[in-house]
Amino acid sequence: MSSNRAIAYTGPGHVEVQDIPYPTFELQDGPGVNPANVGRALPHAAILKVVTTNICGSDQHMVRGRTTAPENLVLGHEITGEVIETGPGVEFIKEGDLCSVPFNIACGRCRNCKERLTGICLNVNPDRPGSAYGYVDMGGWVGGQAEYVLVPYADWNLLKFPDKDQAMEKILDLTMLSDIFPTGFHGAVTSGVGVGSTVYVAGAGPVGLAAAASAQLLGAAVVVVGDLNADRLEQARSFGCETIDVSKGDPGDQLEQLLGVPEVDCGIDAVGFEARGHGEGSSQEAPATVLNSLMTITRAGGGLGIPGLYVTGDPGGVDEAAQEGSLSLRLGLGWAKSHSFMTGQCPVMKYHRGLMMAILHDRVQIAKAVNATTVSLDEAPQAYADFDSGVAKKYVIDPHGLVG
């Protein structure tokens, strides 16, 4: 049997490379695995040799100790890999196929999957609708920041690239299809972005940058990105976004200086539950700040897309309410302005094929927009630390040295 190494969460602020079992066609017990999932037979699965796997801001929430993730949980839900073995129930995916893996694990059989709501599949997580690799409370499916990973329901979940050589030439773009590109695109679509829209994206991390690039792809007239981090704001400007530094004051005032009016058509929250205040309060955590500011600066009748992560359990929350995901929102303002809201996991399969075609035909350069930076598996713990410090990079782990 082959060996396998992976990145595991070992306690607040720490990850390490560990030896872990090679995948089998049965879900084994381990950190975070729901007991009801232990022993689950997976004849419909495929084993992949991981080509690229990315560090996500959602991983950082766990590593900071801001969730109930157990120690030694193997991380990683952004996966691209080559199929090296298939179970007896796999019919269409073949050995040698190079594929993108949606971070949502979905069965393809339940009502939600059939309605393209693959982010809330009903059959893969006994705890709640929806599942993902290497993530807290998501059923215990082993993460993909590893050399090898198992993908269940392979015929349904895997997006095969049509030309392997072409895909490897664009691998740093295509690796973003597993999560942040569709997630950012989902934020833009659900906020109502279209030709001529004015858009405000809260947060210049990788998802925020992906949302900004997506808004441009959808035809937005102006995309404004707000953040506290000067390097990340510079990265947003590198591909044509306007920017505002929210530590310098109210976003509405700065928007008026840019647009002539203090509001936009569409607002996107790419920050989530670890948001900080604006202006003089920017050093203090204030988890409702972004959502409340978006309702203020989004025009009446506009939309809010919310790809930023919010959780039901946050041990590090600023108060008891925040620790259970209860935030003080000005919902009355959103109601009065007839805003639409869309939250939750992005249903990656709804978008990833179209975005793949946009990449393959040079309609978008998402790797450049998010500043994709390759590291080895052994370099990943330092990349986690660097990412947590706020560097304007999207780290891509190359476990086998295949990217070059």
Side-chain angles (χ1 to χ4, degrees), residues 12-269:
H14 299 284
V15 299
E16 67 179 28
V17 180
Q18 294 184 351
D19 293 320
I20 67 167
Y22 186 80
T24 66
F25 293 98
E26 180 180 294
L27 189 55
Q28 306 294 319
D29 196 6
V33 180
N34 187 295
N37 258 352
V38 175
R40 186 170 181 160
L42 306 169
H44 45 67
I47 296 173
L48 271 62
K49 179 179 181 179
V50 176
V51 174
T52 55
T53 177
N54 315 327
I55 298 175
C56 180
S58 298
D59 297 321
Q60 288 286 22
H61 292 305
M62 290 186 289
V63 173
R64 292 186 189 117
R66 297 298 297 268
T67 71
T68 55
E71 292 186 5
N72 296 312
L73 179 73
V74 175
L75 301 171
H77 56 271
E78 300 189 13
I79 308 163
T80 305
E82 180 184 1
V83 176
I84 58 173
E85 187 176 355
T86 58
V90 178
E91 184 175 0
F92 304 109
I93 290 292
K94 305 298 182 184
E95 292 181 17
D97 287 346
L98 183 60
C99 304
S100 178
V101 184
F103 79 89
N104 321 112
I105 300 173
C107 71
R109 295 150 166 81
C110 70
R111 173 182 176 176
N112 285 350
C113 284
K114 290 178 179 180
E115 294 179 1
R116 303 183 78 191
L117 301 173
T118 53
I120 43 174
C121 173
L122 301 173
N123 289 332
V124 289
N125 182 2
D127 285 322
R128 65 180 73 172
S131 190
Y133 304 88
Y135 210 83
V136 59
D137 295 333
M138 288 294 183
W141 301 90
V142 178
Q145 287 176 11
E147 294 173 326
Y148 301 93
V149 70
L150 186 83
V151 175
Y153 304 102
D155 280 328
W156 170 251
N157 283 303
L158 291 175
L159 174 68
K160 176 186 172 181
F161 299 136
D163 184 300
K164 184 185 275 189
D165 291 337
Q166 181 192 27
M168 286 304 298
E169 291 175 2
K170 295 180 177 289
I171 193 65
L172 288 182
D173 292 289
L174 294 170
T175 191
M176 305 304 165
L177 291 173
S178 57
D179 181 357
I180 67 161
F181 193 12
T183 293
F185 193 82
H186 182 60
V189 168
T190 55
S191 72
V193 176
V195 174
S197 298
T198 57
V199 184
Y200 177 70
V201 180
V207 169
L209 297 173
S214 297
Q216 292 174 337
L217 187 63
L218 288 164
V222 183
V223 180
V224 183
V225 180
D227 204 290
L228 304 163
N229 184 308
D231 290 339
R232 289 183 169 184
L233 291 174
E234 177 60 32
Q235 182 63 28
R237 288 191 292 272
S238 75
F239 60 98
C241 298
E242 300 287 348
T243 61
I244 61 175
D245 183 343
V246 297
S247 70
K248 295 181 178 178
D250 181 77
D253 293 338
Q254 297 185 66
L255 281 173
E256 187 165 21
Q257 295 174 28
L258 288 170
L259 304 176
V261 292
E263 62 181 16
V264 292
D265 299 318
C266 312
I268 302 172
D269 173 6

